Amino acid sequence: MDPDLLPQLARIGVSLPSKLLAQLDALVSRRGLPSRSQMIAELIRHELADADGGLADGVLAGTITLIYRAESGRVRHALARVQSEYLPEVISSQHVFLEEDRSLEVLLVQGSAERLQQLCDRLRRVRAVQQLKLVTTRSLLPPLHAHGTAEPETARRRASGG
């Protein structure tokens, strides 16, 4: 093969907890991939595609699912503080305790792709957060509260009989 046609490769080093590495190896095996590198590259591509999915403009609705270690009330307090900074975007949340001092929290959100991504980035910075996934749709929730904005067009049409 012509060396000029080979893709440019760069090497990186990654440190993982041994349990996570074992899970990665099991995933590589289940998918029949030739190497960890191929799996990691696929995961990175997936994350980059999800970052804004080409939906940088407009309003989205969706969920943010978090799994975190709840060793102390400080973690839940830090997460609540971040959520309070995004009150227009965070519509509701549900929290359950999991085994091994872990918690699962699901946030129902709506807002611009940029604001939702900022919220995810801020939540990821809370040290105990182990997993976070944002799932969005362009379909919107009905208006729940005004937030000082004009009445939505669909509500005006219904009120006027149109």
Side-chain angles (χ1 to χ4, degrees):
M1 178 176 258
D2 184 352
D4 292 335
L5 297 178
L6 292 176
Q8 293 288 330
L9 296 178
R11 289 191 179 270
I12 62 169
V14 178
S15 299
L16 299 173
S18 58
K19 187 176 179 180
L20 186 58
L21 180 61
Q23 291 171 325
L24 175 65
D25 287 341
L27 184 59
V28 168
S29 178
R30 272 196 313 274
R31 295 201 179 166
L33 297 173
S35 69
R36 292 175 182 154
S37 292
Q38 193 168 347
M39 184 75 245
I40 292 169
E42 179 182 329
L43 293 170
I44 291 170
R45 280 188 211 97
H46 177 72
E47 185 62 28
L48 290 172
D50 278 354
D52 70 6
L55 303 174
D57 57 343
V59 176
L60 305 171
T63 60
I64 298 173
T65 303
L66 298 138
I67 300 201
Y68 57 91
R69 282 216 163 280
E71 305 104 11
S72 71
R74 281 192 228 138
V75 174
R76 286 187 290 277
H77 180 71
L79 293 170
R81 188 173 46 246
V82 170
Q83 290 173 39
S84 72
E85 294 171 19
Y86 290 83
L87 282 179
E89 289 79 22
V90 179
I91 295 163
S92 70
S93 68
Q94 175 109 30
H95 172 266
V96 294
F97 293 101
L98 301 174
E99 295 176 327
E100 300 175 13
D101 200 29
R102 288 195 175 111
S103 287
L104 174 123
E105 191 163 346
V106 179
L107 308 177
L108 179 59
V109 295
Q110 182 167 281
S112 71
E114 180 181 1
R115 285 286 292 173
L116 296 182
Q117 194 60 55
Q118 289 171 359
L119 171 58
C120 289
D121 292 343
R122 290 285 312 281
L123 291 168
R124 276 189 183 98
R125 288 185 200 132
V126 175
R127 188 172 189 92
V129 171
Q130 297 177 322
Q131 290 177 270
L132 184 146
K133 180 75 174 173
L134 170 65
V135 177
T136 60
T137 178
R138 283 234 183 239
S139 298
L140 299 181
L141 299 165
L144 300 174
H145 31 81
H147 288 299
T149 59
E151 187 179 16
E153 182 63 32
T154 54
R156 280 196 298 270
R157 275 189 262 135
R158 275 191 223 129
S160 67

